[in-house]
Amino acid sequence: MSQWSEAALGEVAEIARSVVEPRDLPPETKYLGLEHLERGGRIIGVATVGSEEVSSSKFEFNAGDILYGKLRPYLGKIAAPEFAGVCSTDILPVRPGHHLERRYLLHFLRQPRMVELANSRATGANLPRLAPKELAKIQIPLPALAEQKRIAAVLDQVDALRAKRREAIALLGVLAQSIFLDMFGDPARNPMGWEQRSFGDLILDGPQNGLYKPAGDYGDGVPILRIDSFQAGELKPASQWRLVNASLLEQERYGLRESDIIINRVNSRSHLGKSVMVGEVPKGSVFESNMMRVRVDPSLARPVFIEQYLQSGFMRRRILESAKDAVNQSSINQQDVKVLPVFVPSMKSQCRFEESLEQIRGGQRKHRAHLATLEELFTSLQHRAFSGTLWDHEATGEAA
C-alpha cells in the first residue's frame, strides 16, 4: 500500500444531493427509503413514488450511484442499485468519479471499521446522523483503476457465496411457515376450529419494553439485542451484538433468557411487529427500548409455536391495524399486543410442530456455520484488500 495514493472521498466522488419534489415525478418512479435497505446493502421491496404516496422532498439517484444511509450509520445500510430513482433524504447518493471503481468503493465503505468510523462521527443522541461533510472527509486508498477492479472482483465472489448461504437459511424459514400452515391452518380462518384466546391470556411475564441508553453508553459491557440483530425468526449470534454499559439492576429488569419472545414495537410499518424467539444468550444480555419482551406460559403454548404464529400474514395485518403512525415511524403498545387473537392447538400438536421445526433449524445451523466461515474469510480479505496485501497470499490460492 505504500505505493498507493490516498484521497478524501469528497475529492474522488460526488455526494449528490439533487432535490426533487415527488409531485413533479411520474408515479412509477422507483423510490427507496431506509426501510428498503438491509444492513449489508440488500435492497428489499422496491417501492414507487405512487405506491408509497411520497409527498416530501427526496434525493435523485442514478444507476451508477452508491446509496449511503446516513441515519444510524452503525446499521451499515449501504447499497448499489442497478436502477435510477429517488430516495429518502436520510440516504446520501454517492457518485464515484472517473478514478474510482464503484464496487471497490462499495466494499470499502461497508467494512466494519469504516461503519464504526462513520458512527463515531455521527451526531444526535436519539437519531444519530452522519453529516455529508463528514462522509466526504473519509480517506480512501487509491490503487490504479485496474487494481481496484481486481480487488472488487475477489470481494464480489466471496460476497456472492455469503448471499447464497443467507438465501438458503431464509428458504428454510419459509419452509417453517409452510409447515405451520399445513399443520394448523391459516389463523385468519382457523379452519380446524382451534380454541381462540387473547395473547395476554398466554403471557406469563410481560410485555416489557426494553432498555434505553444514550449513544455514549455503547461500546463496552454486556450484549444488547438491537433491531438490526434479528430478522423475522432469525437471531444473530450474541457475539455479533453491540455492547452496552448496564447496571446489575438493569440487567435483571431487561435481561434476556432462552425462549423469550421479542417483538419490535417501533419502526417503519414494513418492519413493525417483527419477532423472534431468543435462544441461548450470555448472562446479563439485555434488549433495546424499541422492542418488547414476552414470556409465554409453556403449559399453555410453546414459545416456538407463538414465534411462528406472530410471523403469519394474519398477525402481521392485525399488528398493522393497531399501529399508531408518526413521522417516519409507527408503533404498537403493550395493550395492542395483549389483545391480539391467538388460536391455541392441542399441546400434542404444538410439540409435534416443535419437533419438525427443530429439524429445519438443524439445517439452518449447518448453513450458519458455513456462513460464519465465509464471514471470517471475507473479513480477512477486506483487511488485506485495503491494506494492499491481498496478493501476498496469492500463491496459496487464498485470494482466488
Side-chain angles (χ1 to χ4, degrees), residues 290-301:
N290 55 0
M291 57 193 82
M292 62 179 77
R293 181 194 65 207
V294 173
R295 288 174 178 154
V296 177
D297 186 340
S299 69
L300 299 176

Side-chain angles (χ1 to χ4, degrees), residues 9-82:
L9 179 60
E11 297 173 355
V12 291
E14 176 190 0
I15 300 177
R17 289 180 288 166
S18 177
V19 177
V20 293
E21 299 300 329
R23 64 176 178 271
D24 299 328
L25 299 170
E28 65 273 16
T29 302
K30 289 183 170 61
Y31 167 71
L32 292 175
L34 281 172
E35 66 273 18
H36 301 119
L37 306 185
E38 285 189 341
R39 183 187 183 98
R42 189 167 77 98
I43 297 174
I44 53 173
V46 179
T48 65
V49 168
S51 67
E52 293 291 299
E53 299 181 352
V54 176
S55 58
S56 58
S57 300
K58 303 299 173 191
F59 288 151
E60 201 170 26
F61 67 86
N62 297 329
D65 293 347
I66 287 171
L67 299 183
Y68 192 101
K70 68 175 184 178
L71 177 64
R72 298 187 179 96
Y74 55 77
L75 294 177
K77 293 191 172 189
I78 308 168
E82 299 302 326

Side-chain angles (χ1 to χ4, degrees), residues 269-340:
R269 289 183 70 89
S270 59
H271 288 73
L272 186 69
K274 76 172 182 175
S275 58
V276 73
M277 186 184 79
V278 177
E280 187 176 351
V281 292
K283 184 177 180 181
S285 298
V286 294
F287 64 107
E288 214 168 45
S289 60
N290 55 0
M291 57 193 82
M292 62 179 77
R293 181 194 65 207
V294 173
R295 288 174 178 154
V296 177
D297 186 340
S299 69
L300 299 176
R302 302 300 299 166
V304 167
F305 167 79
I306 293 297
E307 177 194 40
Q308 289 297 314
Y309 191 97
L310 288 170
Q311 291 167 25
S312 67
F314 168 71
M315 287 300 275
R316 292 284 303 122
R317 291 190 295 273
R318 291 301 297 261
I319 287 171
L320 291 178
E321 288 171 3
S322 303
K324 290 84 176 172
D325 295 321
V327 179
N328 295 327
Q329 65 181 19
S330 301
S331 64
I332 52 174
N333 59 36
Q334 295 176 3
Q335 186 61 26
D336 294 331
V337 169
K338 291 170 75 172
V339 300
L340 289 170

